[in-house]
Amino acid sequence: MKPTTSTLPPHLPAPSPALSADDQEALTDLYIRGTPANTLRAYERDLLYITAWKTARFGTALDWPESAATALAFILDHARDLNDASKTDVARETAEALISQGLRKSLACPAPSTLDRRIASWLAFHRMKNLASPFDSPQVKQARAKARRAAARPPAPKSQHPITRDILEQLLATCRGSRRDCRDRAMLMLGWASGGRRRSEITGLMREDASCKEFDKTGLVWLSLLGTKTTGKGETPRLVLKGRAAQALVHWIEVGQIKDGPLFQPISKADRVLARRLSPDAITQIVKHRLKLAGLPEGFASAHGLRSGFLTQAALDGAPIQAAMRLSLHRSVAQAQKYYDDVDIVENPAADLLG
């Protein structure tokens, strides 16, 4: 029996009369395997938000395809600060309903990137159902462009401070001799020295992804990432760990007796290794914990500080940006250049003209 439209979530391809049940199942499996796990989770969150917004705003469920009028209302509701709106304003009432459900933080105007992401998800849902998108109408497209321009703001850094080498050394100094300490030391070093890895990339590493065959001879450990935000599966070049970072990882593998499964695993209160994968949020908690132990404010940096810190340190040390990007795997030079610009402008002699 073929799946019906109602049995499949909108982020998976809609059933087609031209496909057999086996072909439909294969197509669905292809979309699941070909879509990053983080994207699937984002789709689910955005679908929950959009559905709740439509119910609170119009008292009805989502339509497929959705009307251009509904799409325009969605943009208008998210293009202004509703703190200044009348309490009987329908957009404010809708926002308050979403806040009460824990789906919206405040009445303030959401960041343009948040609106863009939710619209992109909505567009993707229409594509999966092979339907025309309401966001493609001229009026809606123009309103979206105006909303983006009206709410433009400087991008907020993902980490308040970069975790540069000196900060990393302070975090590593808190890692003493327990299994948890060994794991955290190896994780922090790998996350920083291999190019500033993202949380999902660190937790996604399996034991077989870290090759230690050359370690005794050359002191090198080779890392194979399945895929990253900027590279697809099978397209990610091997990365290398050298020196202290390679030593810390090999030590963790020996102490944790990691023979297979996830490379980094949870540690119990009794300091035993638990054979399961860490969640990406665990990296955030580990960084917060080490910051606190090092005497730094908890909000001093986030896990993304490992990535920004690697690039900032590369700029401070004068490493060519192309060399840093070969490890960070940034696809855009302009994106990586931002970290270099912050360093270069301080060293710019034109900044000292007044003395």
Side-chain angles (χ1 to χ4, degrees), residues 186 190 205-224 238-255 257-260 263-264:
L190 179 147
L205 282 169
M206 303 296 287
R207 171 61 186 88
E208 60 265 26
D209 297 330
S211 175
C212 305
K213 295 178 182 178
E214 299 180 22
F215 178 73
D216 289 338
K217 183 178 180 180
T218 65
L220 302 179
V221 174
W222 291 94
L223 300 176
S224 300
R238 287 202 308 167
L239 301 173
V240 66
L241 279 185
K242 304 168 68 174
R244 294 167 57 202
Q247 293 168 11
L249 182 60
V250 170
H251 184 58
W252 157 244
I253 290 172
E254 293 173 350
V255 169
Q257 298 181 342
I258 310 298
K259 296 181 174 61
D260 52 30
L263 183 59
F264 296 110

mmCIF file of all heavy atoms in Angstrom, residues 186 190 205-224 238-255 257-260 263-264:
data_model
loop_
_atom_site.group_PDB
_atom_site.id
_atom_site.type_symbol
_atom_site.label_atom_id
_atom_site.label_comp_id
_atom_site.label_asym_id
_atom_site.label_seq_id
_atom_site.Cartn_x
_atom_site.Cartn_y
_atom_site.Cartn_z
ATOM 1 N N ALA A 186 41.353 15.644 24.911
ATOM 2 C CA ALA A 186 41.462 15.197 23.517
ATOM 3 C C ALA A 186 40.416 15.877 22.636
ATOM 4 O O ALA A 186 40.697 16.289 21.506
ATOM 5 C CB ALA A 186 41.301 13.677 23.441
ATOM 6 N N LEU A 190 41.409 18.272 19.603
ATOM 7 C CA LEU A 190 40.995 17.883 18.257
ATOM 8 C C LEU A 190 40.100 18.954 17.637
ATOM 9 O O LEU A 190 40.292 19.348 16.485
ATOM 10 C CB LEU A 190 40.262 16.541 18.301
ATOM 11 C CG LEU A 190 39.741 15.987 16.979
ATOM 12 C CD1 LEU A 190 39.787 14.457 16.982
ATOM 13 C CD2 LEU A 190 38.317 16.442 16.674
ATOM 14 N N LEU A 205 32.218 11.869 14.791
ATOM 15 C CA LEU A 205 33.398 11.042 14.517
ATOM 16 C C LEU A 205 33.252 9.653 15.134
ATOM 17 O O LEU A 205 32.859 9.501 16.293
ATOM 18 C CB LEU A 205 34.649 11.714 15.082
ATOM 19 C CG LEU A 205 35.231 12.884 14.273
ATOM 20 C CD1 LEU A 205 36.285 13.608 15.102
ATOM 21 C CD2 LEU A 205 35.827 12.396 12.960
ATOM 22 N N MET A 206 33.584 8.647 14.346
ATOM 23 C CA MET A 206 33.611 7.269 14.823
ATOM 24 C C MET A 206 35.067 6.856 15.042
ATOM 25 O O MET A 206 36.001 7.496 14.539
ATOM 26 C CB MET A 206 32.952 6.338 13.804
ATOM 27 C CG MET A 206 31.519 6.723 13.464
ATOM 28 S SD MET A 206 30.403 6.596 14.894
ATOM 29 C CE MET A 206 30.256 4.811 15.026
ATOM 30 N N ARG A 207 35.256 5.770 15.781
ATOM 31 C CA ARG A 207 36.631 5.323 16.066
ATOM 32 C C ARG A 207 37.392 5.056 14.780
ATOM 33 O O ARG A 207 38.573 5.423 14.668
ATOM 34 C CB ARG A 207 36.585 4.050 16.946
ATOM 35 C CG ARG A 207 37.940 3.368 17.135
ATOM 36 C CD ARG A 207 38.926 4.292 17.813
ATOM 37 N NE ARG A 207 40.271 3.711 17.869
ATOM 38 C CZ ARG A 207 41.190 3.840 16.921
ATOM 39 N NH1 ARG A 207 40.923 4.553 15.823
ATOM 40 N NH2 ARG A 207 42.370 3.293 17.051
ATOM 41 N N GLU A 208 36.744 4.462 13.784
ATOM 42 C CA GLU A 208 37.444 4.159 12.532
ATOM 43 C C GLU A 208 37.788 5.399 11.722
ATOM 44 O O GLU A 208 38.570 5.332 10.766
ATOM 45 C CB GLU A 208 36.616 3.194 11.672
ATOM 46 C CG GLU A 208 35.254 3.713 11.271
ATOM 47 C CD GLU A 208 34.138 3.270 12.206
ATOM 48 O OE1 GLU A 208 34.444 2.998 13.384
ATOM 49 O OE2 GLU A 208 32.981 3.188 11.745
ATOM 50 N N ASP A 209 37.218 6.552 12.112
ATOM 51 C CA ASP A 209 37.527 7.807 11.411
ATOM 52 C C ASP A 209 38.866 8.398 11.845
ATOM 53 O O ASP A 209 39.351 9.347 11.230
ATOM 54 C CB ASP A 209 36.424 8.839 11.645
ATOM 55 C CG ASP A 209 35.079 8.396 11.069
ATOM 56 O OD1 ASP A 209 35.098 7.669 10.067
ATOM 57 O OD2 ASP A 209 34.038 8.793 11.627
ATOM 58 N N ALA A 210 39.425 7.873 12.921
ATOM 59 C CA ALA A 210 40.728 8.359 13.418
ATOM 60 C C ALA A 210 41.769 7.265 13.199
ATOM 61 O O ALA A 210 41.771 6.249 13.899
ATOM 62 C CB ALA A 210 40.632 8.721 14.904
ATOM 63 N N SER A 211 42.647 7.467 12.230
ATOM 64 C CA SER A 211 43.668 6.476 11.910
ATOM 65 C C SER A 211 44.956 6.787 12.666
ATOM 66 O O SER A 211 45.586 7.827 12.453
ATOM 67 C CB SER A 211 43.944 6.467 10.401
ATOM 68 O OG SER A 211 45.012 5.605 10.097
ATOM 69 N N CYS A 212 45.351 5.849 13.544
ATOM 70 C CA CYS A 212 46.557 6.034 14.361
ATOM 71 C C CYS A 212 47.707 5.149 13.865
ATOM 72 O O CYS A 212 48.705 4.979 14.580
ATOM 73 C CB CYS A 212 46.255 5.709 15.826
ATOM 74 S SG CYS A 212 44.878 6.642 16.532
ATOM 75 N N LYS A 213 47.575 4.597 12.676
ATOM 76 C CA LYS A 213 48.570 3.646 12.169
ATOM 77 C C LYS A 213 49.955 4.264 12.047
ATOM 78 O O LYS A 213 50.967 3.582 12.216
ATOM 79 C CB LYS A 213 48.115 3.105 10.808
ATOM 80 C CG LYS A 213 46.841 2.266 10.865
ATOM 81 C CD LYS A 213 46.422 1.806 9.477
ATOM 82 C CE LYS A 213 45.127 1.001 9.536
ATOM 83 N NZ LYS A 213 44.673 0.591 8.174
ATOM 84 N N GLU A 214 50.014 5.558 11.743
ATOM 85 C CA GLU A 214 51.307 6.212 11.546
ATOM 86 C C GLU A 214 51.817 6.913 12.804
ATOM 87 O O GLU A 214 52.888 7.524 12.783
ATOM 88 C CB GLU A 214 51.211 7.246 10.409
ATOM 89 C CG GLU A 214 50.841 6.670 9.062
ATOM 90 C CD GLU A 214 50.760 7.754 8.001
ATOM 91 O OE1 GLU A 214 51.382 8.833 8.189
ATOM 92 O OE2 GLU A 214 50.081 7.541 6.981
ATOM 93 N N PHE A 215 51.047 6.828 13.887
ATOM 94 C CA PHE A 215 51.389 7.636 15.062
ATOM 95 C C PHE A 215 52.755 7.271 15.640
ATOM 96 O O PHE A 215 53.576 8.155 15.926
ATOM 97 C CB PHE A 215 50.315 7.494 16.139
ATOM 98 C CG PHE A 215 50.627 8.273 17.390
ATOM 99 C CD1 PHE A 215 50.519 9.659 17.407
ATOM 100 C CD2 PHE A 215 51.078 7.622 18.537
ATOM 101 C CE1 PHE A 215 50.835 10.381 18.552
ATOM 102 C CE2 PHE A 215 51.390 8.340 19.679
ATOM 103 C CZ PHE A 215 51.270 9.719 19.686
ATOM 104 N N ASP A 216 53.028 5.970 15.824
ATOM 105 C CA ASP A 216 54.301 5.559 16.429
ATOM 106 C C ASP A 216 55.494 6.000 15.593
ATOM 107 O O ASP A 216 56.562 6.326 16.126
ATOM 108 C CB ASP A 216 54.325 4.038 16.616
ATOM 109 C CG ASP A 216 53.380 3.578 17.706
ATOM 110 O OD1 ASP A 216 53.032 4.414 18.567
ATOM 111 O OD2 ASP A 216 52.972 2.403 17.687
ATOM 112 N N LYS A 217 55.319 6.041 14.279
ATOM 113 C CA LYS A 217 56.419 6.366 13.380
ATOM 114 C C LYS A 217 56.549 7.859 13.119
ATOM 115 O O LYS A 217 57.656 8.422 13.124
ATOM 116 C CB LYS A 217 56.231 5.615 12.061
ATOM 117 C CG LYS A 217 57.360 5.808 11.067
ATOM 118 C CD LYS A 217 57.110 5.001 9.806
ATOM 119 C CE LYS A 217 58.240 5.201 8.803
ATOM 120 N NZ LYS A 217 58.010 4.420 7.552
ATOM 121 N N THR A 218 55.417 8.525 12.885
ATOM 122 C CA THR A 218 55.447 9.941 12.472
ATOM 123 C C THR A 218 54.825 10.895 13.479
ATOM 124 O O THR A 218 54.979 12.112 13.352
ATOM 125 C CB THR A 218 54.708 10.114 11.134
ATOM 126 O OG1 THR A 218 53.311 9.807 11.318
ATOM 127 C CG2 THR A 218 55.281 9.207 10.060
ATOM 128 N N GLY A 219 54.086 10.352 14.464
ATOM 129 C CA GLY A 219 53.410 11.228 15.422
ATOM 130 C C GLY A 219 52.161 11.876 14.864
ATOM 131 O O GLY A 219 51.651 12.840 15.435
ATOM 132 N N LEU A 220 51.631 11.312 13.762
ATOM 133 C CA LEU A 220 50.448 11.885 13.119
ATOM 134 C C LEU A 220 49.232 10.999 13.313
ATOM 135 O O LEU A 220 49.336 9.764 13.349
ATOM 136 C CB LEU A 220 50.685 12.059 11.608
ATOM 137 C CG LEU A 220 51.855 12.925 11.168
ATOM 138 C CD1 LEU A 220 51.937 12.958 9.645
ATOM 139 C CD2 LEU A 220 51.736 14.329 11.730
ATOM 140 N N VAL A 221 48.077 11.636 13.435
ATOM 141 C CA VAL A 221 46.785 10.957 13.416
ATOM 142 C C VAL A 221 45.968 11.582 12.289
ATOM 143 O O VAL A 221 45.865 12.811 12.201
ATOM 144 C CB VAL A 221 46.035 11.102 14.754
ATOM 145 C CG1 VAL A 221 44.637 10.516 14.638
ATOM 146 C CG2 VAL A 221 46.802 10.414 15.877
ATOM 147 N N TRP A 222 45.395 10.732 11.441
ATOM 148 C CA TRP A 222 44.595 11.223 10.310
ATOM 149 C C TRP A 222 43.120 11.081 10.616
ATOM 150 O O TRP A 222 42.679 10.051 11.129
ATOM 151 C CB TRP A 222 44.947 10.440 9.042
ATOM 152 C CG TRP A 222 46.326 10.728 8.539
ATOM 153 C CD1 TRP A 222 47.467 10.030 8.823
ATOM 154 C CD2 TRP A 222 46.719 11.815 7.700
ATOM 155 N NE1 TRP A 222 48.545 10.610 8.211
ATOM 156 C CE2 TRP A 222 48.119 11.707 7.502
ATOM 157 C CE3 TRP A 222 46.033 12.856 7.084
ATOM 158 C CZ2 TRP A 222 48.839 12.600 6.724
ATOM 159 C CZ3 TRP A 222 46.746 13.750 6.309
ATOM 160 C CH2 TRP A 222 48.128 13.624 6.125
ATOM 161 N N LEU A 223 42.365 12.138 10.321
ATOM 162 C CA LEU A 223 40.926 12.172 10.586
ATOM 163 C C LEU A 223 40.153 12.169 9.279
ATOM 164 O O LEU A 223 40.504 12.886 8.336
ATOM 165 C CB LEU A 223 40.541 13.419 11.386
ATOM 166 C CG LEU A 223 41.192 13.599 12.759
ATOM 167 C CD1 LEU A 223 40.773 14.946 13.351
ATOM 168 C CD2 LEU A 223 40.813 12.464 13.692
ATOM 169 N N SER A 224 39.087 11.380 9.244
ATOM 170 C CA SER A 224 38.203 11.337 8.077
ATOM 171 C C SER A 224 36.806 11.745 8.516
ATOM 172 O O SER A 224 36.142 11.001 9.252
ATOM 173 C CB SER A 224 38.179 9.927 7.475
ATOM 174 O OG SER A 224 39.464 9.524 7.063
ATOM 175 N N ARG A 238 40.942 14.415 4.010
ATOM 176 C CA ARG A 238 41.438 13.963 5.316
ATOM 177 C C ARG A 238 42.121 15.125 6.032
ATOM 178 O O ARG A 238 42.790 15.952 5.417
ATOM 179 C CB ARG A 238 42.427 12.817 5.147
ATOM 180 C CG ARG A 238 41.796 11.505 4.765
ATOM 181 C CD ARG A 238 42.703 10.327 5.126
ATOM 182 N NE ARG A 238 44.060 10.472 4.601
ATOM 183 C CZ ARG A 238 45.082 9.703 4.984
ATOM 184 N NH1 ARG A 238 44.907 8.761 5.894
ATOM 185 N NH2 ARG A 238 46.286 9.882 4.457
ATOM 186 N N LEU A 239 41.965 15.165 7.339
ATOM 187 C CA LEU A 239 42.592 16.192 8.167
ATOM 188 C C LEU A 239 43.633 15.531 9.048
ATOM 189 O O LEU A 239 43.567 14.331 9.320
ATOM 190 C CB LEU A 239 41.538 16.896 9.030
ATOM 191 C CG LEU A 239 40.405 17.583 8.264
ATOM 192 C CD1 LEU A 239 39.342 18.089 9.238
ATOM 193 C CD2 LEU A 239 40.940 18.735 7.428
ATOM 194 N N VAL A 240 44.592 16.320 9.499
ATOM 195 C CA VAL A 240 45.698 15.755 10.266
ATOM 196 C C VAL A 240 45.771 16.381 11.658
ATOM 197 O O VAL A 240 45.484 17.563 11.843
ATOM 198 C CB VAL A 240 47.034 15.968 9.515
ATOM 199 C CG1 VAL A 240 47.389 17.452 9.434
ATOM 200 C CG2 VAL A 240 48.160 15.173 10.158
ATOM 201 N N LEU A 241 46.125 15.545 12.624
ATOM 202 C CA LEU A 241 46.451 16.011 13.974
ATOM 203 C C LEU A 241 47.918 15.732 14.216
ATOM 204 O O LEU A 241 48.417 14.635 13.910
ATOM 205 C CB LEU A 241 45.619 15.270 15.028
ATOM 206 C CG LEU A 241 44.190 15.716 15.303
ATOM 207 C CD1 LEU A 241 43.629 14.901 16.461
ATOM 208 C CD2 LEU A 241 44.111 17.195 15.621
ATOM 209 N N LYS A 242 48.624 16.713 14.809
ATOM 210 C CA LYS A 242 50.056 16.581 15.050
ATOM 211 C C LYS A 242 50.365 16.913 16.507
ATOM 212 O O LYS A 242 49.543 17.522 17.203
ATOM 213 C CB LYS A 242 50.836 17.534 14.131
ATOM 214 C CG LYS A 242 50.544 17.353 12.665
ATOM 215 C CD LYS A 242 51.092 18.487 11.819
ATOM 216 C CE LYS A 242 52.590 18.514 11.787
ATOM 217 N NZ LYS A 242 53.102 19.551 10.846
ATOM 218 N N GLY A 243 51.554 16.530 16.934
ATOM 219 C CA GLY A 243 52.049 16.957 18.239
ATOM 220 C C GLY A 243 51.157 16.608 19.407
ATOM 221 O O GLY A 243 50.644 15.486 19.519
ATOM 222 N N ARG A 244 50.936 17.592 20.291
ATOM 223 C CA ARG A 244 50.174 17.369 21.531
ATOM 224 C C ARG A 244 48.752 16.920 21.253
ATOM 225 O O ARG A 244 48.201 16.101 22.002
ATOM 226 C CB ARG A 244 50.149 18.656 22.356
ATOM 227 C CG ARG A 244 51.496 19.092 22.886
ATOM 228 C CD ARG A 244 51.424 20.516 23.405
ATOM 229 N NE ARG A 244 50.410 20.658 24.442
ATOM 230 C CZ ARG A 244 49.832 21.825 24.772
ATOM 231 N NH1 ARG A 244 50.192 22.929 24.137
ATOM 232 N NH2 ARG A 244 48.928 21.876 25.727
ATOM 233 N N ALA A 245 48.142 17.456 20.185
ATOM 234 C CA ALA A 245 46.758 17.089 19.878
ATOM 235 C C ALA A 245 46.675 15.608 19.516
ATOM 236 O O ALA A 245 45.764 14.893 19.964
ATOM 237 C CB ALA A 245 46.226 17.952 18.744
ATOM 238 N N ALA A 246 47.612 15.128 18.694
ATOM 239 C CA ALA A 246 47.627 13.715 18.319
ATOM 240 C C ALA A 246 47.896 12.845 19.554
ATOM 241 O O ALA A 246 47.251 11.800 19.753
ATOM 242 C CB ALA A 246 48.691 13.475 17.252
ATOM 243 N N GLN A 247 48.825 13.275 20.408
ATOM 244 C CA GLN A 247 49.137 12.520 21.628
ATOM 245 C C GLN A 247 47.920 12.423 22.542
ATOM 246 O O GLN A 247 47.633 11.362 23.107
ATOM 247 C CB GLN A 247 50.301 13.190 22.362
ATOM 248 C CG GLN A 247 51.626 13.130 21.630
ATOM 249 C CD GLN A 247 52.674 14.047 22.240
ATOM 250 O OE1 GLN A 247 52.480 14.590 23.335
ATOM 251 N NE2 GLN A 247 53.780 14.237 21.541
ATOM 252 N N ALA A 248 47.204 13.533 22.689
ATOM 253 C CA ALA A 248 46.027 13.549 23.570
ATOM 254 C C ALA A 248 44.938 12.607 23.052
ATOM 255 O O ALA A 248 44.285 11.911 23.842
ATOM 256 C CB ALA A 248 45.486 14.973 23.674
ATOM 257 N N LEU A 249 44.748 12.571 21.730
ATOM 258 C CA LEU A 249 43.715 11.698 21.170
ATOM 259 C C LEU A 249 44.092 10.236 21.336
ATOM 260 O O LEU A 249 43.251 9.410 21.735
ATOM 261 C CB LEU A 249 43.493 12.028 19.691
ATOM 262 C CG LEU A 249 42.384 11.207 19.007
ATOM 263 C CD1 LEU A 249 41.044 11.426 19.701
ATOM 264 C CD2 LEU A 249 42.272 11.555 17.525
ATOM 265 N N VAL A 250 45.348 9.875 21.048
ATOM 266 C CA VAL A 250 45.788 8.491 21.211
ATOM 267 C C VAL A 250 45.676 8.066 22.682
ATOM 268 O O VAL A 250 45.252 6.943 22.987
ATOM 269 C CB VAL A 250 47.241 8.331 20.707
ATOM 270 C CG1 VAL A 250 47.792 6.952 21.089
ATOM 271 C CG2 VAL A 250 47.288 8.512 19.195
ATOM 272 N N HIS A 251 46.031 8.975 23.589
ATOM 273 C CA HIS A 251 45.925 8.672 25.028
ATOM 274 C C HIS A 251 44.474 8.410 25.417
ATOM 275 O O HIS A 251 44.190 7.463 26.171
ATOM 276 C CB HIS A 251 46.499 9.833 25.841
ATOM 277 C CG HIS A 251 46.519 9.580 27.308
ATOM 278 N ND1 HIS A 251 47.181 8.521 27.883
ATOM 279 C CD2 HIS A 251 45.943 10.262 28.358
ATOM 280 C CE1 HIS A 251 47.027 8.546 29.196
ATOM 281 N NE2 HIS A 251 46.270 9.588 29.503
ATOM 282 N N TRP A 252 43.543 9.223 24.905
ATOM 283 C CA TRP A 252 42.125 9.015 25.210
ATOM 284 C C TRP A 252 41.648 7.667 24.666
ATOM 285 O O TRP A 252 40.922 6.932 25.355
ATOM 286 C CB TRP A 252 41.279 10.143 24.634
ATOM 287 C CG TRP A 252 39.836 9.763 24.412
ATOM 288 C CD1 TRP A 252 39.175 9.695 23.230
ATOM 289 C CD2 TRP A 252 38.887 9.357 25.410
ATOM 290 N NE1 TRP A 252 37.879 9.272 23.416
ATOM 291 C CE2 TRP A 252 37.675 9.059 24.751
ATOM 292 C CE3 TRP A 252 38.954 9.198 26.792
ATOM 293 C CZ2 TRP A 252 36.532 8.624 25.419
ATOM 294 C CZ3 TRP A 252 37.798 8.767 27.470
ATOM 295 C CH2 TRP A 252 36.620 8.490 26.781
ATOM 296 N N ILE A 253 42.034 7.325 23.466
ATOM 297 C CA ILE A 253 41.611 6.056 22.871
ATOM 298 C C ILE A 253 42.091 4.885 23.728
ATOM 299 O O ILE A 253 41.364 3.903 23.936
ATOM 300 C CB ILE A 253 42.147 5.930 21.420
ATOM 301 C CG1 ILE A 253 41.414 6.932 20.515
ATOM 302 C CG2 ILE A 253 41.969 4.513 20.892
ATOM 303 C CD1 ILE A 253 41.980 7.039 19.109
ATOM 304 N N GLU A 254 43.318 4.994 24.269
ATOM 305 C CA GLU A 254 43.859 3.930 25.114
ATOM 306 C C GLU A 254 43.175 3.894 26.476
ATOM 307 O O GLU A 254 42.742 2.839 26.944
ATOM 308 C CB GLU A 254 45.362 4.137 25.290
ATOM 309 C CG GLU A 254 46.159 3.945 24.002
ATOM 310 C CD GLU A 254 47.620 4.316 24.159
ATOM 311 O OE1 GLU A 254 47.976 4.896 25.219
ATOM 312 O OE2 GLU A 254 48.414 4.041 23.239
ATOM 313 N N VAL A 255 43.054 5.061 27.122
ATOM 314 C CA VAL A 255 42.451 5.127 28.450
ATOM 315 C C VAL A 255 40.962 4.760 28.407
ATOM 316 O O VAL A 255 40.453 4.047 29.268
ATOM 317 C CB VAL A 255 42.633 6.543 29.048
ATOM 318 C CG1 VAL A 255 41.781 6.712 30.304
ATOM 319 C CG2 VAL A 255 44.094 6.800 29.366
ATOM 320 N N GLN A 257 39.599 2.936 26.167
ATOM 321 C CA GLN A 257 39.450 1.641 25.500
ATOM 322 C C GLN A 257 38.408 1.724 24.380
ATOM 323 O O GLN A 257 37.490 0.912 24.287
ATOM 324 C CB GLN A 257 39.069 0.550 26.523
ATOM 325 C CG GLN A 257 40.121 0.337 27.603
ATOM 326 C CD GLN A 257 39.750 -0.764 28.583
ATOM 327 O OE1 GLN A 257 38.601 -1.170 28.691
ATOM 328 N NE2 GLN A 257 40.747 -1.242 29.326
ATOM 329 N N ILE A 258 38.597 2.744 23.537
ATOM 330 C CA ILE A 258 37.671 2.964 22.429
ATOM 331 C C ILE A 258 38.118 2.112 21.250
ATOM 332 O O ILE A 258 39.036 2.475 20.510
ATOM 333 C CB ILE A 258 37.638 4.465 22.028
ATOM 334 C CG1 ILE A 258 37.436 5.346 23.256
ATOM 335 C CG2 ILE A 258 36.549 4.701 20.996
ATOM 336 C CD1 ILE A 258 36.147 5.129 23.999
ATOM 337 N N LYS A 259 37.487 0.961 21.098
ATOM 338 C CA LYS A 259 37.854 0.041 20.018
ATOM 339 C C LYS A 259 36.951 0.221 18.799
ATOM 340 O O LYS A 259 37.354 -0.041 17.665
ATOM 341 C CB LYS A 259 37.786 -1.400 20.508
ATOM 342 C CG LYS A 259 38.793 -1.709 21.625
ATOM 343 C CD LYS A 259 38.692 -3.153 22.059
ATOM 344 C CE LYS A 259 39.776 -3.519 23.060
ATOM 345 N NZ LYS A 259 39.694 -2.735 24.298
ATOM 346 N N ASP A 260 35.716 0.645 19.035
ATOM 347 C CA ASP A 260 34.779 0.900 17.936
ATOM 348 C C ASP A 260 33.696 1.852 18.442
ATOM 349 O O ASP A 260 33.736 2.317 19.575
ATOM 350 C CB ASP A 260 34.152 -0.404 17.412
ATOM 351 C CG ASP A 260 33.544 -1.242 18.532
ATOM 352 O OD1 ASP A 260 33.089 -0.649 19.546
ATOM 353 O OD2 ASP A 260 33.512 -2.469 18.416
ATOM 354 N N LEU A 263 33.838 8.036 18.610
ATOM 355 C CA LEU A 263 35.176 8.346 19.117
ATOM 356 C C LEU A 263 35.110 8.977 20.500
ATOM 357 O O LEU A 263 35.942 8.686 21.364
ATOM 358 C CB LEU A 263 35.888 9.284 18.134
ATOM 359 C CG LEU A 263 37.336 9.657 18.453
ATOM 360 C CD1 LEU A 263 38.216 8.407 18.537
ATOM 361 C CD2 LEU A 263 37.883 10.624 17.408
ATOM 362 N N PHE A 264 34.127 9.848 20.717
ATOM 363 C CA PHE A 264 33.945 10.490 22.024
ATOM 364 C C PHE A 264 32.613 10.035 22.615
ATOM 365 O O PHE A 264 31.569 10.167 21.973
ATOM 366 C CB PHE A 264 33.991 12.006 21.891
ATOM 367 C CG PHE A 264 35.322 12.522 21.432
ATOM 368 C CD1 PHE A 264 35.483 13.066 20.171
ATOM 369 C CD2 PHE A 264 36.428 12.443 22.268
ATOM 370 C CE1 PHE A 264 36.716 13.533 19.746
ATOM 371 C CE2 PHE A 264 37.672 12.903 21.851
ATOM 372 C CZ PHE A 264 37.814 13.446 20.583
#
